[in-house]
């Protein structure tokens, strides 16, 4: 059982008397696990390297991100439900609002007002009318609000192309171009992106949902602007193949769930899980307990700690740490003495910085038959000197599987 | 002096009051070395990775097994006396019993009754009559009981071939086939394996030793079945070349002695050394003392700790730990103040798991002019926080050579 508090690590916070949220929060369950197991300060990727949420989780799932990471695109698409194969190109898409002026499509709102409750309906139409462009299958997936993922599946594609999103209002829709005009795959892909963007306008401009929006005075979601092409060149190896384990993920954050899916986890988003500080963390705990009956490995992701940090919300972060403690305690009630537990941030997001940093983070591992160390509490200060030292996120994953007697022997 | 207790690391054992064998055993000599030297918990390969005995020793001899390990085959052959060169193919062989039925050779006992005291004699005949097949030299080596190693030396060989051992009684002898029928080296090798198997039957079926066996009602050892082809593609660099040291190994386990030989050690199996819990460990101690007069480096391997662990024999493991302490004490009596000593498991084999695990293991290093740390006893619990931290088996080997002033400077 891997429980990750996103961005949970921190530095001394002035308004907390120069203590960290983990020091201030009431975390009886995490403290109990630290006391009975082993803890320490670890580097998810390497000392001083601020991990992204994607690279951090690649490491926490046992792989070296320097070897396997190729960009966020494919993970985000997978996180909103896309199935990606080797050679597919994934893009981020926005529902946007354009106006025809002098035969040009001028962007007037890059996000079509942000709130697009008609998104599912519009996506359905896009998939019906725009499912194939030349010999390439095109699939649209709704993420949140105005956000989409778009996947191209077909021969001879490449991600070295520019965006059709001009990234500025008042500008015409951009023309996607190959970075290298002599690269036939990039030439082909750029042409398809331009075709998709243009045809999305033709399909959406007179869509009944948009007519309704205009009637209400809302900007119509009448085009899909594309950006951030990323290609899946090197699919991550699956946990099932690497260790023979069945794995499940519980969370709500597309990028992280995408990485989980990419390593072969089945992904569950419980009702009420939002990826924000308003998430129903109790629903996550219940879901995880249920899943561990059927799966060998369950990963629970709590984004709220990171969301609070990015916004500098001190009290909210303390509360989210306590939410993580609740999840840990709930799971412990069901599986103490049976499962091996790891609790860790994926990186620090100090409230004073509001961005990911490369500080070492406190991690703990607790399970049956482990020799406890001398750590008595779980926070950045008290775990120092514990048994977990000089290790990375992937080492932590290997230790988890090792103490669950699921690691395969290397050699004879 | 490197002293390895195979699989000696452990987890808390319920019948030992949740202590480990190292905590319970009486180890005055190991404790003394830990007190006067440095100790700590180390990862022979990497955190959480359960080492095989072969990969563990590659690391303990200063090499990265991820870079150098190609499979157990060549090491096992070397461990029973084979000399292997680059491009040679090694196989495991069994003396087996076959019967002719309708022109086919049907396997009736894959191990010829297991006990084959005539093995040396039969191997001698095989080497005389079957020493060359086409342009390939064939060499047979007796391991233990019905077990052989077979080495092919010649041009254009490959290990990507199937076994002639059908792995089941009642079946005909299998035909070795290349995994890829268009690979001329594999085609050639498969043909030679079939030839060896067939001719071994012709050579052995009327052998006087087998006639005697049949008279006694024993199954004749009338064929050699081959399996597990492995090729030496990348010979390990020799200690002599790497460090200019002359090295010797004392032990009885073919796989481990094979790795020792592969890095250039001269291998010694003292009379009475068995690789089991009945081994004459005092003979090993005496042999090691004797060898260190002539060699710069002596490696002593005790397998009994691992053998006891795999069988879940708690008392036997405690006794074998005490045997290792005896060896350490005996060597210390002769070389205290002169030699540098390292004592370490090659991996943990917890009695509760009965298999290799990736837990960190307690290691110690003791020699003249080292700054001692605060560790007072040698076991999994007491060495935590010692000077040896965050290091691997190969680091430990480098430290050993370093404190013996035998490491070469890297750079100018």
């Amino acid at each position: 059982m891997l429980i990750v508090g996103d961005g949970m690590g921190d530095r001394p916070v002035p308004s907390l008397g120069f203590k960290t949220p983990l020091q201030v929060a009431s975390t009886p369950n995490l403290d109990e696990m630290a006391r009975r197991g082993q803890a320490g300060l670890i580097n998810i990727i390497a000392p001083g390297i601020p991990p992204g949420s994607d690279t951090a989780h690649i490491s926490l799932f046992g792989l070296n991100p320097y070897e396997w990471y190729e960009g966020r695109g494919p993970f985000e698409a997978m996180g909103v439900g896309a199935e990606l194969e080797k050679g597919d190109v994934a893009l981020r898409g926005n529902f946007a609002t354009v106006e025809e002026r002098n035969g040009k499509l001028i962007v007037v709102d890059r996000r079509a007002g942000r709130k697009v409750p008609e998104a599912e309906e519009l996506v359905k139409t896009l998939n019906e009318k725009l499912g194939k462009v030349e010999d390439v299958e095109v699939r649209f997936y709704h993420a949140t609000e105005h956000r989409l993922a778009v996947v191209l599946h077909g021969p001879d594609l490449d991600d070295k192309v520019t965006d059709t999103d001009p990234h500025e209002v008042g500008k015409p829709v951009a023309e996607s171009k190959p970075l290298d005009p002599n690269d036939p795959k990039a030439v082909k892909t750029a042409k398809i992106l331009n075709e998709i963007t243009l045809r999305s306008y033709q399909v959406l401009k007179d869509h009944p949902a948009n007519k309704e929006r205009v009637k209400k005075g809302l900007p119509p979601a009448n085009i899909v602007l594309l950006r951030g092409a990323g290609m899946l060149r090197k699919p991550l190896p699956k946990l099932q193949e690497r260790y023979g384990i069945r794995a499940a993920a519980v969370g709500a954050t597309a990028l992280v769930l995408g990485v989980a899916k990419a390593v072969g986890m089945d992904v569950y988003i419980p009702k009420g899980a939002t990826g924000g500080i308003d998430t129903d963390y109790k629903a996550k705990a219940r879901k995880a307990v249920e899943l561990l009956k059927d799966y060998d490995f369950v990963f629970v992701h709590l984004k709220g700690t990171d969301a609070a940090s990015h916004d500098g919300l001190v009290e909210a972060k303390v509360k989210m740490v306590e939410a993580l403690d609740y999840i840990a305690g709930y799971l412990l009630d069901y599986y103490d003495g049976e499962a091996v537990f790891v609790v860790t941030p994926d990186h620090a997001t100090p409230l004073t910085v509001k961005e990911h940093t490369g500080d070492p983070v406190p991690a703990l591992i607790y399970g049956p038959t482990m020799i406890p160390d001398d750590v008595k509490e779980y926070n950045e200060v008290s775990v120092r000197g514990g048994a977990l030292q000089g290790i990375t996120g992937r080492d932590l994953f290997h230790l988890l599987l090792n103490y669950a007697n699921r690691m395969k022997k290397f050699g004879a």
Side-chain angles (χ1 to χ4, degrees), chain A residues 19-302:
Chain A
K19 292 194 183 301
T20 70
L22 270 172
Q23 285 183 288
V24 168
S26 165
T27 55
N29 297 297
L30 301 179
D31 295 342
E32 173 82 5
M33 285 193 203
R35 196 153 43 238
R36 291 159 64 189
Q38 304 183 346
L41 288 172
I42 74 166
N43 296 292
I44 298 297
I45 294 180
I49 306 296
S53 285
D54 42 14
T55 52
H57 283 87
I58 290 174
S59 188
L60 284 168
F61 300 154
L63 296 169
N64 182 346
Y66 289 110
E67 186 181 341
W68 291 101
Y69 185 62
E70 301 179 290
R72 68 191 295 174
F75 298 127
E76 285 198 317
M78 279 188 253
V80 296
E83 302 289 336
L84 250 75
E85 287 172 36
K86 191 173 170 172
D88 289 357
V89 169
L91 297 112
R92 306 174 70 185
N94 271 11
F95 279 122
T97 308
V98 291
E99 283 178 15
E100 290 183 51
R101 292 187 202 151
N102 310 321
K104 280 188 179 168
L105 295 176
I106 305 297
V107 175
V108 297
D109 186 336
R110 280 188 64 238
R111 298 182 185 87
R114 251 188 211 280
K115 303 281 174 211
V116 188
E118 310 85 351
E120 293 292 350
E121 194 186 339
L122 297 173
V123 161
K124 191 158 171 272
T125 303
L126 287 166
N127 278 321
E128 280 164 14
K129 307 263 177 165
L130 253 166
K132 191 129 191 175
V133 177
E134 297 185 14
D135 60 353
V136 174
E137 261 181 64
V138 183
R139 292 189 302 264
F140 297 82
Y141 300 86
H142 181 226
T144 52
E145 300 185 328
H146 57 285
R147 300 178 194 94
L148 303 173
V150 181
V151 174
L152 312 187
H153 173 74
D156 302 325
L157 297 170
D158 201 281
D159 60 356
K160 294 193 196 64
V161 293
T162 63
D163 303 341
T164 65
D165 183 344
H167 294 272
E168 237 178 277
V169 294
K171 292 225 166 156
V173 170
E175 191 191 338
S176 174
K177 288 181 185 160
L179 299 188
D180 171 0
N182 297 315
D183 175 350
K185 293 186 184 183
V187 170
K188 169 180 173 174
T189 307
K191 188 163 166 255
I192 286 172
L193 296 193
N194 292 324
E195 181 89 13
I196 292 170
T197 304
L198 183 64
R199 283 177 57 186
S200 74
Y201 174 67
Q202 293 160 354
V203 163
L204 295 174
K205 66 174 178 172
D206 299 321
H207 194 284
N210 273 327
K211 289 189 174 162
E212 279 301 311
R213 282 179 68 89
V214 173
K215 257 194 223 161
K216 290 182 202 156
L218 296 171
N222 62 8
I223 197 164
V224 176
L225 299 176
L226 300 171
R227 67 195 153 92
M231 187 164 174
L232 188 67
R233 288 186 167 77
K234 202 166 138 181
L236 302 187
K238 304 287 179 284
L239 292 173
Q240 176 75 41
E241 293 151 25
R242 283 154 62 207
Y243 307 108
I245 56 172
R246 297 191 60 234
V250 180
T253 304
L255 185 60
V256 171
L257 294 180
V259 177
K261 195 169 168 185
V263 297
M265 295 190 205
D266 292 338
V267 163
Y268 297 87
I269 306 176
K271 198 165 152 18
T274 62
I277 59 176
D278 59 344
T279 195
D280 184 350
Y281 56 89
K282 295 184 180 178
K284 288 190 185 177
R286 286 192 300 270
K287 190 72 195 172
V289 160
E290 183 191 318
L291 289 170
L292 201 57
K293 291 174 192 157
D294 298 324
Y295 287 89
D296 303 309
F297 171 88
V298 174
F299 157 59
V300 187
H301 181 254
L302 187 70

